[in-house]
Amino acid sequence: MIFIGIIVVTLYPFLNVLAISLNDPMDTMKDINFIIPRKFTLSNYRYVLEKNNLVKPFMISITRTVVGTLFGVISTSMVAYVLSRKDFYFNKLFTLLFVITMYVSGGLIPEYLLLTRTLHMGNSFWVYIIPGLIWTYNIILIRSYIEGLPTALQEAARIDGANDFMIWLKVVLPLCKPVLATVALFIAVGQWNSFMDTYLYARDLPTLQYMLYEIMQQATITVDPHAAAMQAQSTVSPLSVRMAVTIIATIPILIVYPFLQKYFVGGMTVGAVKD
Protein backbone atom coordinates (compact mmCIF):
# COMPACT_ATOMS: atom_id res chain seq x y z
CA MET A 1 0.00 0.00 0.00
CA ILE A 2 2.86 2.35 0.76
CA PHE A 3 4.34 1.89 -2.71
CA ILE A 4 0.92 2.33 -4.32
CA GLY A 5 0.55 5.60 -2.41
CA ILE A 6 3.98 6.75 -3.58
CA ILE A 7 3.11 5.91 -7.19
CA VAL A 8 -0.18 7.83 -6.97
CA VAL A 9 1.49 10.88 -5.41
CA THR A 10 4.23 10.76 -8.06
CA LEU A 11 2.04 10.26 -11.12
CA TYR A 12 -0.91 12.49 -10.26
CA PRO A 13 0.83 15.87 -10.90
CA PHE A 14 2.09 14.74 -14.31
CA LEU A 15 -1.25 13.21 -15.33
CA ASN A 16 -3.02 16.35 -14.15
CA VAL A 17 -0.73 18.55 -16.26
CA LEU A 18 -1.22 16.28 -19.28
CA ALA A 19 -5.01 16.27 -18.83
CA ILE A 20 -5.22 20.06 -18.54
CA SER A 21 -3.07 20.49 -21.65
CA LEU A 22 -5.52 18.28 -23.59
CA ASN A 23 -8.69 19.71 -22.08
CA ASP A 24 -10.88 22.55 -23.32
CA PRO A 25 -9.60 25.77 -21.65
CA MET A 26 -13.07 27.02 -20.76
CA ASP A 27 -13.92 23.72 -19.11
CA THR A 28 -10.61 23.72 -17.22
CA MET A 29 -11.53 27.02 -15.56
CA LYS A 30 -14.40 25.26 -13.77
CA ASP A 31 -12.15 22.72 -12.05
CA ILE A 32 -8.46 21.87 -12.46
CA ASN A 33 -8.38 18.69 -10.35
CA PHE A 34 -8.66 15.80 -12.83
CA ILE A 35 -6.39 13.32 -14.61
CA ILE A 36 -8.50 12.55 -17.70
CA PRO A 37 -9.51 15.29 -20.16
CA ARG A 38 -13.21 16.04 -19.79
CA LYS A 39 -13.45 17.82 -23.16
CA PHE A 40 -10.59 16.64 -25.34
CA THR A 41 -8.99 19.23 -27.61
CA LEU A 42 -5.64 19.97 -29.24
CA SER A 43 -6.24 23.72 -29.38
CA ASN A 44 -3.67 24.37 -26.66
CA TYR A 45 -0.95 22.61 -28.62
CA ARG A 46 -2.05 24.26 -31.87
CA TYR A 47 -1.73 27.64 -30.20
CA VAL A 48 1.81 26.83 -29.07
CA LEU A 49 3.02 25.17 -32.27
CA GLU A 50 1.19 26.88 -35.14
CA LYS A 51 1.50 30.51 -34.13
CA ASN A 52 5.21 30.31 -33.41
CA ASN A 53 8.09 29.13 -35.57
CA LEU A 54 9.71 26.64 -33.21
CA VAL A 55 11.81 24.70 -35.73
CA LYS A 56 14.96 26.83 -35.39
CA PRO A 57 14.73 27.11 -31.56
CA PHE A 58 14.17 23.36 -31.36
CA MET A 59 17.28 22.65 -33.46
CA ILE A 60 19.33 25.08 -31.36
CA SER A 61 18.17 23.35 -28.17
CA ILE A 62 18.97 19.91 -29.57
CA THR A 63 22.40 21.06 -30.75
CA ARG A 64 23.33 22.76 -27.48
CA THR A 65 22.15 19.74 -25.51
CA VAL A 66 24.16 17.25 -27.58
CA VAL A 67 27.30 19.39 -27.88
CA GLY A 68 27.12 20.64 -24.30
CA THR A 69 26.65 17.13 -22.93
CA LEU A 70 29.48 15.66 -25.02
CA PHE A 71 31.96 18.42 -24.18
CA GLY A 72 30.83 18.54 -20.57
CA VAL A 73 31.29 14.80 -19.98
CA ILE A 74 34.72 14.79 -21.64
CA SER A 75 35.98 17.87 -19.77
CA THR A 76 34.55 16.80 -16.42
CA SER A 77 35.96 13.28 -16.66
CA MET A 78 39.39 14.66 -17.55
CA VAL A 79 39.46 16.93 -14.50
CA ALA A 80 38.06 14.16 -12.29
CA TYR A 81 40.76 11.76 -13.48
CA VAL A 82 43.52 14.25 -12.66
CA LEU A 83 42.08 14.91 -9.19
CA SER A 84 41.77 11.17 -8.56
CA ARG A 85 45.49 10.64 -9.09
CA LYS A 86 47.19 10.17 -5.73
CA ASP A 87 50.54 11.21 -7.21
CA PHE A 88 49.13 14.63 -8.18
CA TYR A 89 50.79 16.93 -5.63
CA PHE A 90 48.11 19.68 -5.71
CA ASN A 91 45.19 17.24 -5.50
CA LYS A 92 43.68 18.57 -2.27
CA LEU A 93 44.32 22.22 -3.15
CA PHE A 94 42.52 22.09 -6.48
CA THR A 95 39.71 20.01 -5.01
CA LEU A 96 39.21 22.69 -2.35
CA LEU A 97 39.19 25.45 -4.98
CA PHE A 98 36.54 23.62 -6.97
CA VAL A 99 34.39 22.99 -3.90
CA ILE A 100 34.55 26.68 -2.91
CA THR A 101 32.84 27.58 -6.19
CA MET A 102 29.80 25.58 -5.05
CA TYR A 103 29.22 28.06 -2.24
CA VAL A 104 30.71 31.32 -3.52
CA SER A 105 30.31 32.84 -6.97
CA GLY A 106 31.34 36.08 -8.60
CA GLY A 107 27.75 37.17 -9.11
CA LEU A 108 25.59 37.78 -12.15
CA ILE A 109 26.98 41.19 -13.13
CA PRO A 110 30.67 40.15 -13.23
CA GLU A 111 29.67 37.03 -15.16
CA TYR A 112 27.69 39.11 -17.65
CA LEU A 113 30.58 41.54 -18.16
CA LEU A 114 33.06 38.68 -18.52
CA LEU A 115 31.05 36.85 -21.16
CA THR A 116 29.85 39.82 -23.19
CA ARG A 117 32.65 42.42 -22.96
CA THR A 118 35.81 40.48 -22.14
CA LEU A 119 35.21 37.22 -24.01
CA HIS A 120 32.81 38.74 -26.59
CA MET A 121 30.55 35.69 -26.45
CA GLY A 122 27.26 37.57 -26.63
CA ASN A 123 24.90 36.09 -29.25
CA SER A 124 27.40 33.29 -29.81
CA PHE A 125 26.49 29.62 -29.70
CA TRP A 126 29.47 28.94 -27.43
CA VAL A 127 27.92 31.03 -24.67
CA TYR A 128 25.65 28.00 -24.19
CA ILE A 129 28.58 25.58 -23.91
CA ILE A 130 31.67 27.09 -22.27
CA PRO A 131 30.26 28.74 -19.09
CA GLY A 132 28.61 25.49 -17.96
CA LEU A 133 31.30 23.15 -19.23
CA ILE A 134 32.28 21.81 -15.78
CA TRP A 135 30.12 21.38 -12.68
CA THR A 136 31.88 20.73 -9.38
CA TYR A 137 29.32 18.18 -8.22
CA ASN A 138 29.87 16.13 -11.36
CA ILE A 139 33.64 16.27 -10.85
CA ILE A 140 33.25 14.90 -7.32
CA LEU A 141 30.88 12.20 -8.56
CA ILE A 142 33.24 10.95 -11.28
CA ARG A 143 36.34 11.28 -9.12
CA SER A 144 34.74 9.15 -6.38
CA TYR A 145 33.89 6.50 -8.97
CA ILE A 146 37.41 6.48 -10.40
CA GLU A 147 38.92 6.18 -6.93
CA GLY A 148 36.84 3.03 -6.45
CA LEU A 149 38.38 1.36 -9.52
CA PRO A 150 41.27 -1.09 -9.08
CA THR A 151 44.53 0.88 -9.30
CA ALA A 152 46.26 -2.21 -10.67
CA LEU A 153 44.59 -1.61 -14.05
CA GLN A 154 46.11 1.86 -14.38
CA GLU A 155 49.50 0.62 -13.16
CA ALA A 156 49.46 -2.24 -15.67
CA ALA A 157 48.65 0.18 -18.50
CA ARG A 158 51.51 2.45 -17.41
CA ILE A 159 53.93 -0.48 -17.37
CA ASP A 160 52.85 -1.26 -20.93
CA GLY A 161 53.91 2.26 -21.91
CA ALA A 162 50.59 4.13 -21.83
CA ASN A 163 50.66 7.80 -20.83
CA ASP A 164 48.03 9.50 -18.67
CA PHE A 165 45.87 10.44 -21.67
CA MET A 166 45.80 6.86 -22.96
CA ILE A 167 45.06 5.53 -19.47
CA TRP A 168 42.13 7.95 -19.17
CA LEU A 169 40.86 7.11 -22.65
CA LYS A 170 41.45 3.35 -22.86
CA VAL A 171 41.19 2.24 -19.23
CA VAL A 172 39.24 4.71 -17.12
CA LEU A 173 36.46 5.83 -19.46
CA PRO A 174 35.25 2.32 -20.45
CA LEU A 175 34.96 1.42 -16.76
CA CYS A 176 33.08 4.61 -15.90
CA LYS A 177 30.03 4.12 -18.11
CA PRO A 178 27.50 4.15 -15.23
CA VAL A 179 28.72 7.38 -13.68
CA LEU A 180 29.33 9.00 -17.07
CA ALA A 181 25.74 8.22 -18.07
CA THR A 182 24.55 9.76 -14.81
CA VAL A 183 26.57 12.92 -15.37
CA ALA A 184 25.48 13.04 -19.02
CA LEU A 185 21.85 12.97 -17.91
CA PHE A 186 22.46 15.78 -15.40
CA ILE A 187 24.17 17.94 -18.02
CA ALA A 188 21.59 17.17 -20.73
CA VAL A 189 18.68 18.11 -18.47
CA GLY A 190 20.42 21.31 -17.44
CA GLN A 191 21.17 22.26 -21.05
CA TRP A 192 17.70 21.39 -22.27
CA ASN A 193 15.84 23.29 -19.54
CA SER A 194 18.03 26.39 -19.51
CA PHE A 195 16.51 29.59 -20.89
CA MET A 196 17.94 32.36 -18.73
CA ASP A 197 21.28 32.32 -20.59
CA THR A 198 19.34 32.97 -23.81
CA TYR A 199 17.52 35.86 -22.15
CA LEU A 200 20.79 37.40 -20.94
CA TYR A 201 23.34 36.61 -23.63
CA ALA A 202 21.92 35.21 -26.88
CA ARG A 203 18.49 36.44 -27.88
CA ASP A 204 19.54 36.18 -31.52
CA LEU A 205 19.89 32.41 -30.96
CA PRO A 206 16.65 31.59 -29.13
CA THR A 207 16.30 28.12 -27.67
CA LEU A 208 13.07 26.15 -27.46
CA GLN A 209 12.77 26.78 -23.71
CA TYR A 210 13.13 30.52 -24.21
CA MET A 211 10.51 30.57 -26.96
CA LEU A 212 8.12 28.54 -24.83
CA TYR A 213 8.70 30.98 -21.99
CA GLU A 214 7.86 33.85 -24.34
CA ILE A 215 4.71 32.05 -25.47
CA MET A 216 3.58 31.65 -21.87
CA GLN A 217 4.21 35.33 -21.23
CA GLN A 218 2.24 36.33 -24.31
CA ALA A 219 -0.64 34.04 -23.35
CA THR A 220 -0.74 35.56 -19.87
CA ILE A 221 -0.92 39.05 -21.33
CA THR A 222 -3.29 38.45 -24.23
CA VAL A 223 -5.66 36.07 -22.46
CA ASP A 224 -7.02 37.73 -19.33
CA PRO A 225 -8.69 35.07 -17.14
CA HIS A 226 -10.73 37.75 -15.33
CA ALA A 227 -12.33 39.19 -18.44
CA ALA A 228 -15.46 37.26 -19.36
CA ALA A 229 -15.72 38.78 -22.83
CA MET A 230 -12.20 37.71 -23.72
CA GLN A 231 -12.78 34.25 -22.29
CA ALA A 232 -15.74 33.76 -24.57
CA GLN A 233 -13.68 34.64 -27.64
CA SER A 234 -10.46 32.94 -26.63
CA THR A 235 -9.55 29.38 -27.57
CA VAL A 236 -6.80 29.11 -24.94
CA SER A 237 -6.13 30.20 -21.39
CA PRO A 238 -2.82 30.98 -19.65
CA LEU A 239 -3.13 27.83 -17.53
CA SER A 240 -3.77 25.60 -20.55
CA VAL A 241 -0.86 27.11 -22.46
CA ARG A 242 1.47 26.64 -19.50
CA MET A 243 0.52 22.99 -19.21
CA ALA A 244 0.96 22.40 -22.96
CA VAL A 245 4.37 24.08 -22.83
CA THR A 246 5.33 21.93 -19.83
CA ILE A 247 4.49 18.73 -21.70
CA ILE A 248 6.34 19.82 -24.85
CA ALA A 249 9.44 20.69 -22.82
CA THR A 250 9.31 17.42 -20.84
CA ILE A 251 8.78 14.87 -23.62
CA PRO A 252 12.42 14.79 -24.95
CA ILE A 253 13.81 14.07 -21.48
CA LEU A 254 11.19 11.36 -20.91
CA ILE A 255 12.27 9.75 -24.18
CA VAL A 256 15.99 9.80 -23.31
CA TYR A 257 15.76 8.73 -19.66
CA PRO A 258 14.71 5.06 -20.16
CA PHE A 259 17.84 4.41 -22.21
CA LEU A 260 20.07 5.75 -19.43
CA GLN A 261 18.09 4.45 -16.47
CA LYS A 262 20.19 1.39 -15.66
CA TYR A 263 23.41 3.40 -15.88
CA PHE A 264 21.83 6.22 -13.90
CA VAL A 265 20.97 3.88 -11.01
CA GLY A 266 24.46 2.38 -11.05
CA GLY A 267 26.09 5.80 -11.13
CA MET A 268 24.03 7.20 -8.26
CA THR A 269 25.01 4.27 -5.99
CA VAL A 270 28.71 5.10 -6.37
CA GLY A 271 30.41 4.92 -3.03
CA ALA A 272 27.49 3.12 -1.40
CA VAL A 273 29.40 -0.19 -1.23
CA LYS A 274 33.09 -0.47 -0.49
CA ASP A 275 35.19 -3.59 -0.52
Side-chain angles (χ1 to χ4, degrees):
M1 291 299 295
I2 296 178
F3 289 106
I4 294 176
I6 294 175
I7 292 174
V8 171
V9 171
T10 304
L11 288 180
Y12 176 78
F14 179 78
L15 294 178
N16 179 244
V17 170
L18 180 62
I20 293 177
S21 70
L22 293 171
N23 196 58
D24 181 74
M26 300 301 106
D27 180 74
T28 301
M29 292 179 182
K30 301 175 183 177
D31 182 15
I32 63 173
N33 297 312
F34 56 94
I35 60 174
I36 299 176
R38 292 189 297 259
K39 294 183 178 181
F40 181 84
T41 181
L42 295 176
S43 61
N44 302 315
Y45 289 94
R46 282 197 293 267
Y47 176 85
V48 174
L49 299 175
E50 291 182 357
K51 295 186 177 181
N52 303 274
N53 185 11
L54 299 181
V55 176
K56 180 180 177 181
F58 180 78
M59 296 305 300
I60 293 176
S61 290
I62 290 291
T63 304
R64 72 169 288 183
T65 300
V66 173
V67 175
T69 301
L70 179 62
F71 280 37
V73 169
I74 292 175
S75 302
T76 305
S77 61
M78 281 184 174
V79 175
Y81 170 71
V82 173
L83 295 180
S84 70
R85 299 286 303 181
K86 296 181 179 179
D87 55 353
F88 179 45
Y89 184 78
F90 298 103
N91 185 316
K92 294 183 179 179
L93 175 61
F94 277 91
T95 300
L96 177 62
L97 292 177
F98 277 113
V99 171
I100 289 176
T101 63
M102 297 178 66
Y103 302 96
V104 181
S105 66
L108 180 59
I109 295 177
E111 179 182 350
Y112 178 83
L113 295 177
L114 173 66
L115 294 177
T116 58
R117 297 189 180 182
T118 304
L119 300 179
H120 302 289
M121 295 177 62
N123 288 316
S124 168
F125 176 78
W126 293 107
V127 78
Y128 293 141
I129 308 301
I130 295 177
L133 198 60
I134 296 177
W135 297 357
T136 302
Y137 176 77
N138 294 337
I139 293 176
I140 296 174
L141 200 63
I142 298 178
R143 189 196 67 173
S144 300
Y145 195 92
I146 295 175
E147 289 177 346
L149 299 176
T151 56
L153 296 175
Q154 299 182 33
E155 294 172 355
R158 189 172 296 278
I159 292 175
D160 289 338
N163 55 27
D164 285 321
F165 179 79
M166 294 305 297
I167 293 175
W168 166 78
L169 182 64
K170 299 293 185 179
V171 178
V172 174
L173 284 189
L175 296 175
C176 289
K177 287 182 180 179
V179 72
L180 292 180
T182 303
V183 170
L185 185 61
F186 287 161
I187 297 175
V189 171
Q191 288 282 4
W192 179 260
N193 289 334
S194 180
F195 71 92
M196 186 55 67
D197 47 7
T198 303
Y199 180 81
L200 293 174
Y201 309 119
R203 295 195 183 186
D204 290 346
L205 296 172
T207 59
L208 179 63
Q209 300 295 339
Y210 177 75
M211 291 300 298
L212 295 178
Y213 170 77
E214 289 290 317
I215 293 171
M216 286 194 298
Q217 294 298 105
Q218 294 172 7
T220 302
I221 294 174
T222 58
V223 183
D224 185 358
H226 301 291
M230 294 184 65
Q231 288 181 6
Q233 299 175 358
S234 175
T235 59
V236 296
S237 69
L239 177 61
S240 300
V241 171
R242 285 198 298 269
M243 297 310 175
V245 166
T246 301
I247 295 299
I248 294 174
T250 305
I251 286 177
I253 298 300
L254 292 178
I255 294 175
V256 172
Y257 180 76
F259 298 99
L260 300 177
Q261 184 178 10
K262 66 175 182 178
Y263 296 112
F264 179 79
V265 174
M268 287 305 295
T269 56
V270 58
V273 179
K274 293 292 185 180
D275 295 333

